[in-house]
Amino acid sequence: MAKSGDELRHPMTGERIVWRQVARDTDGALLQADLFALPAASPAAAHVHPRQEERFEVVAGTLKVSVDGVETTLGPGHVAVVPPGTPHTWWNVGDDEAHVVTDIRPALRTEMFFETLFGLASEGKTDPNGLPKPLQLATLVTEFSDEVRLARPPILVQRVLFVPLAAIGRLLGYRGWYPRYSANPIDRTSR
């Protein structure tokens, strides 16, 4: 179970997350983290949070964000807000490590998603871009479809592809989350 102060590292994308507030600290209203990214670091893929707003505030460094296809460069003190359902991504365009405070509202199970993704990466179970292999990816994104989806292909195509692939993945032993990464899942009926 995530706790404030816990740190996650993604060896492929160059990201480091330190939780400031987790879902249980805020009764599910907010997940807040310090995000650190090495020069040229970027997340694994453009994505969408279907039911959540994401806010980035740059503390140090230079971040480029793409929100619904519009790119903006942010420096210290600048803020970008991504409405629910909006495709977005970001990357560090500076020469120094970027430090960003990220708020995700509501929290849902986003911390579990990151614990799982970063856990898989730390065990070498992702490709050079930081994405899990296809059956694991299908299982992961199907499990966390309320929290995060890929920006492409369209959601209908993702459902047609990922739901059967996730079923095959589960039959082969893949899971959407693993106790070794996130020991105490939040009750899904309360979402």
Side-chain angles (χ1 to χ4, degrees):
M1 177 188 315
K3 299 182 302 299
S4 296
D6 283 356
E7 180 177 290
L8 304 175
R9 290 181 181 265
H10 195 303
M12 303 309 286
T13 64
E15 296 169 273
R16 182 169 51 99
I17 295 173
V18 180
W19 301 128
R20 283 184 171 204
Q21 295 182 77
V22 296
R24 69 183 177 141
D25 297 334
T26 65
D27 200 25
L30 169 70
L31 175 62
Q32 186 178 64
D34 287 295
L35 172 63
F36 300 91
L38 297 173
S42 64
H47 59 281
V48 171
H49 301 289
R51 299 175 43 205
Q52 299 164 293
E53 174 186 276
E54 186 168 14
R55 179 182 183 274
F56 300 94
E57 181 176 353
V58 178
V59 176
T62 307
L63 199 71
K64 185 163 279 196
V65 296
S66 174
V67 179
D68 210 11
V70 177
E71 292 184 5
T72 306
T73 301
L74 306 174
H78 292 135
V79 173
V81 177
V82 182
T86 305
H88 63 285
T89 192
W90 61 266
W91 57 101
N92 181 351
V93 293
D95 295 328
D96 299 312
E97 181 178 65
H99 174 194
V100 180
V101 175
T102 304
D103 294 351
I104 299 176
R105 294 175 190 271
L108 302 179
R109 298 179 310 141
T110 305
E111 63 206 37
M112 280 181 65
F113 169 79
F114 282 111
E115 288 172 326
T116 303
L117 180 62
F118 281 46
L120 290 166
S122 70
E123 291 182 356
K125 296 180 179 177
T126 60
D127 67 19
N129 295 318
L131 288 173
K133 294 174 184 165
L135 290 176
Q136 178 65 74
L137 178 63
T139 307
L140 181 69
V141 298
T142 301
E143 174 72 26
F144 292 100
S145 63
D146 284 344
E147 290 77 16
V148 65
R149 295 181 186 151
L150 297 174
R152 290 180 299 282
I155 187 60
L156 181 59
V157 174
Q158 289 184 54
R159 286 185 183 138
V160 168
L161 292 174
F162 290 149
V163 170
L165 286 175
I168 294 167
R170 283 189 294 277
L171 286 173
L172 295 174
Y174 293 101
R175 299 289 172 252
W177 68 272
Y178 296 88
R180 68 183 176 270
Y181 307 137
S182 187
N184 190 4
I186 296 171
D187 178 4
R188 294 185 68 176
T189 61
S190 65
R191 295 188 293 154

